[in-house]
Amino acid sequence: MSSTINHVACLKLLDTHTVVCTIDASGTILECNDRFCQASGYTREELIGEPNRILKSDHHPESFYKILNDLRSSGETWHGEVCNKRKDGSNFWLAASITPELDAQDIPVKFLTVCTDITTTKEQGNNCSTELINSMPGIYYMLDSAGRLISWNAQLKHVTQFTDKEIAQSTALDFFEANDRTHVENNIRKAFEIGETSVEGMLKAGDGTKIPYHFTGKRIIQDGRPVLIGLGTDVSKRKQAEATARKSSEELAAIFDSSKVSIAYIKNNVIIKNNCRFDEVFGYEPGESIGQQTLCLYPDEASYHSVTSGALPIMTLGESYQRTMEMRRKNGTPFWARISGSPLSSNLSRGSVWTFEDVTAEHHAREKIHNMAFYDALTQLPNRRMLDDRLEQALAVSKRRRRYGAVIFLGLDNFKPLNDKHGHAAGDLLLVEVAHRLTSCVREVDTVARFGGDEFVVMLNELDADESTASSQAASVAEKIRLSLSEMYTLIYYRNNGSR
């Protein structure tokens, strides 16, 4: 590469460009124009013959000047912004283009620097940026790789109650509680390594006040060196809300586990969470049922599908589903439960909460009361009340289907002498055996009832539509019953003295 900058061109540039300066390969200032003198605050006599380092400011890191020197040595033109130091110690900014003059071997021997003074523009921009940064509700910061603060906003001073001088003399770690410093230091190092970070810690104010803050940081290159810039947000309200939510959650968990009713949170027919009472009722070890399909709670698939298909249309309307049914414990034993499911959302995307109340004793008591009301206690046949109900149903069905039915009344011969001679125990055994024989003679659709004492009623349903044929069918059943009851009875019972 070869390039020559002649003296005439240099003079022309000196006359026509804003700020111009030439230096030799060693960095000695050879020439400068009046505007360069005005920008730097030096006279031409004070500059010419001096090394250009007298203009060096503290703004740029050494790596910046190394990059600049490397480009100069390569013989390439450099364009960029540089911050120099005036004679009075203040800084001034130049937008510069540095062009080398090469000798016959393409080695730079001189450098012509053509600049524009951008100090006012930079100051206005900095003022605008400063106002913008200071108006932020959170903390703005800029750190170097040693963790020292390069730049900050007014909010950091307000929160920490430190002066600008105190902040400048501190590292980022000085503002955190001792317990958080290692964690924060690791995250700062991480940010410089991978480019970004996020960390929370207790910010410590001058008066000892501690405030939880969440900081984000991103690595950028400024003036040739890596720095970390970021924002800090006061998370006191969030932390307070989290603490309140955590306390409420703990209280709900305590209520959940101390409840006397079995409770389970179910999603997609899978048990997600349940309380202690649930494990007790269903016979599982604590946590054992978590993750299992709810099918394991039901005695069979038919019962399971009955609940799922019945609950879905109701719960999608946002309403609760309730019923009493037989459930199954882990060991397979059945029990009766009153179940209730409530959706957490109308589309069940958030699952549902179910309660299971063991009502086995209540169910058996109800069954017992029902049996006492509608069944004979000795023979377990329907009693007169149940017979009346069955008769009404049979008449309605017979009328609707246009088929005949029949009612057979019968009584036992010589029952009273048997009771008188052998006692009520023998009579009771006879009545039970008669009930068995009567039941064996009819179909499931028919009814055998004990009318009272030694009297029974057999009601035949669904006989033929022809009256004559239906009469024959009834007569045939009656004869079958007569023959069955006429057979010998073997009754084994114990007398009061223990003999058979």
Side-chain angles (χ1 to χ4, degrees):
M1 172 180 171
S2 178
S3 176
T4 301
I5 303 176
N6 59 46
H7 185 65
V8 175
C10 288
L11 292 176
K12 188 176 181 180
L13 286 168
L14 288 171
D15 291 337
T16 59
H17 283 76
T18 304
V19 178
V20 181
C21 174
T22 59
I23 61 174
D24 63 15
S26 66
T28 301
I29 300 173
L30 301 176
E31 186 57 85
C32 60
N33 67 353
D34 291 338
R35 294 196 177 186
F36 189 90
C37 294
Q38 292 172 5
S40 65
Y42 289 96
T43 65
R44 183 176 285 104
E45 290 75 17
E46 290 173 323
L47 288 171
I48 294 175
E50 293 294 327
N52 63 349
R53 63 175 174 270
I54 67 169
L55 301 171
K56 182 179 176 181
S57 71
D58 294 329
H59 180 79
H60 301 291
E62 288 301 322
S63 58
F64 171 80
Y65 293 103
K66 184 178 183 304
I67 293 170
L68 190 58
N69 289 331
D70 290 344
L71 285 170
R72 286 173 179 171
S73 301
S74 70
E76 298 179 5
T77 298
W78 181 86
H79 303 281
E81 295 181 354
V82 60
C83 180
N84 290 321
K85 184 172 67 175
R86 292 190 181 97
K87 181 180 178 180
D88 62 7
S90 62
N91 292 338
F92 68 102
W93 282 86
L94 297 175
S97 293
I98 303 175
T99 305
E101 180 180 342
L102 309 177
D103 62 11
Q105 285 77 37
D106 289 339
I107 298 175
V109 293
K110 292 181 182 180
F111 298 91
L112 175 64
T113 304
V114 181
C115 315
T116 301
D117 190 340
I118 58 172
T119 304
T120 302
T121 303
K122 293 289 285 187
E123 288 178 348
Q124 289 176 346
N126 287 339
N127 290 337
C128 181
S129 297
T130 300
E131 291 179 6
L132 178 62
I133 290 172
N134 283 330
S135 67
M136 291 179 176
I139 292 174
Y140 163 81
Y141 69 91
M142 181 186 292
L143 301 177
D144 63 17
S145 57
R148 292 195 172 276
L149 285 148
I150 303 170
S151 177
W152 56 88
N153 66 350
Q155 186 66 11
L156 179 62
K157 295 193 295 182
H158 172 72
V159 172
T160 62
Q161 302 170 17
F162 279 40
T163 65
D164 285 324
K165 183 179 180 181
E166 290 171 328
I167 293 175
Q169 295 173 345
S170 305
T171 68
L173 299 180
D174 295 332
F175 299 104
F176 287 92
E177 275 284 280
N179 294 338
D180 292 327
R181 288 176 184 171
T182 300
H183 179 54
V184 172
E185 183 180 19
N186 290 338
N187 274 270
I188 292 175
R189 186 183 303 111
K190 174 184 173 184
F192 277 101
E193 290 174 355
I194 68 174
E196 59 185 8
T197 190
S198 175
V199 63
E200 286 191 4
M202 297 298 291
L203 207 61
K204 183 178 62 176
D207 62 359
T209 304
K210 301 172 185 177
I211 308 170
Y213 259 78
H214 177 262
F215 285 91
T216 57
K218 187 174 182 62
R219 182 193 63 205
I220 64 170
I221 302 299
Q222 185 184 60
D223 300 327
R225 61 173 173 172
V227 296
L228 185 66
I229 63 170
L231 299 174
T233 306
D234 184 344
V235 292
S236 300
K237 291 184 179 179
R238 193 198 78 194
K239 290 288 187 180
Q240 184 177 1
E242 288 175 351
T244 301
R246 186 165 51 252
K247 182 179 179 182
S248 297
S249 178
E250 290 171 353
E251 291 173 348
L252 286 174
I255 295 172
F256 185 70
D257 280 329
S258 63
S259 174
K260 299 302 181 183
V261 177
S262 303
I263 306 174
Y265 167 49
I266 294 171
K267 187 175 182 180
N268 297 327
N269 295 324
V270 174
I271 302 170
I272 306 299
K273 184 177 177 60
N274 58 261
N275 66 350
C276 299
R277 181 58 180 164
F278 179 93
D279 290 328
E280 292 174 4
V281 168
F282 284 92
Y284 287 94
E285 293 296 323
E288 184 184 0
S289 62
I290 301 299
Q292 294 198 39
Q293 294 283 334
T294 52
L295 175 61
C296 68
L297 308 178
Y298 297 89
D300 49 51
E301 288 194 17
S303 301
Y304 166 74
H305 291 302
S306 172
V307 172
T308 54
S309 61
L312 184 61
I314 294 175
M315 295 176 75
T316 50
L317 297 176
E319 299 177 2
S320 296
Y321 172 81
Q322 297 179 345
R323 70 180 288 182
T324 299
M325 64 179 299
E326 195 172 53
M327 305 296 287
R328 181 182 65 182
R329 304 189 202 277
K330 178 188 174 183
N331 62 8
T333 58
F335 72 99
W336 283 85
R338 183 180 296 114
I339 67 174
S340 175
S342 299
L344 296 180
S345 60
S346 58
N347 60 4
L348 294 178
S349 61
R350 294 172 56 200
S352 54
V353 175
W354 290 76
T355 61
F356 303 85
E357 184 181 359
D358 188 342
V359 293
T360 304
E362 179 184 324
H363 178 78
H364 288 165
R366 187 181 296 110
E367 277 191 332
K368 185 176 181 180
I369 293 172
H370 180 270
N371 288 339
M372 289 174 63
F374 295 98
Y375 290 87
D376 176 58
L378 177 63
T379 63
Q380 295 302 305
L381 294 176
N383 59 16
R384 296 178 66 172
R385 181 179 295 177
M386 176 66 82
L387 178 63
D388 289 341
D389 182 65
R390 296 270 182 92
L391 184 58
E392 288 183 10
Q393 294 179 32
L395 290 172
V397 171
S398 179
K399 183 177 181 181
R400 184 171 64 254
R401 297 183 180 180
R402 298 181 179 278
R403 299 174 73 92
Y404 285 95
V407 176
I408 303 173
F409 288 87
L410 54 96
L412 300 180
D413 295 337
N414 301 316
F415 178 72
K416 187 175 184 302
L418 175 70
N419 256 347
D420 293 341
K421 182 176 180 180
H422 298 285
H424 290 290
D428 290 345
L429 287 175
L430 179 64
L431 292 175
V432 170
E433 179 60 23
V434 168
H436 289 163
R437 295 187 185 188
L438 289 175
T439 303
S440 67
C441 292
V442 299
R443 303 161 299 172
E444 288 188 5
V445 296
D446 301 325
T447 297
V448 177
R450 184 183 178 194
F451 203 65
D454 61 355
E455 297 177 326
F456 295 85
V457 175
V458 176
M459 184 172 66
L460 305 178
N461 299 315
E462 299 290 324
L463 298 179
D464 200 84
D466 177 70
E467 182 178 359
S468 177
T469 303
S471 296
S472 297
Q473 291 172 335
S476 176
V477 173
E479 179 60 18
K480 182 179 179 181
I481 290 173
R482 188 187 68 78
L483 292 175
S484 177
L485 295 181
S486 299
E487 293 180 2
M488 183 180 295
Y489 293 85
T490 302
L491 305 176
I492 301 175
Y493 65 96
Y494 293 87
R495 297 185 176 89
N496 291 335
N497 59 9
S499 62
R500 294 176 60 173

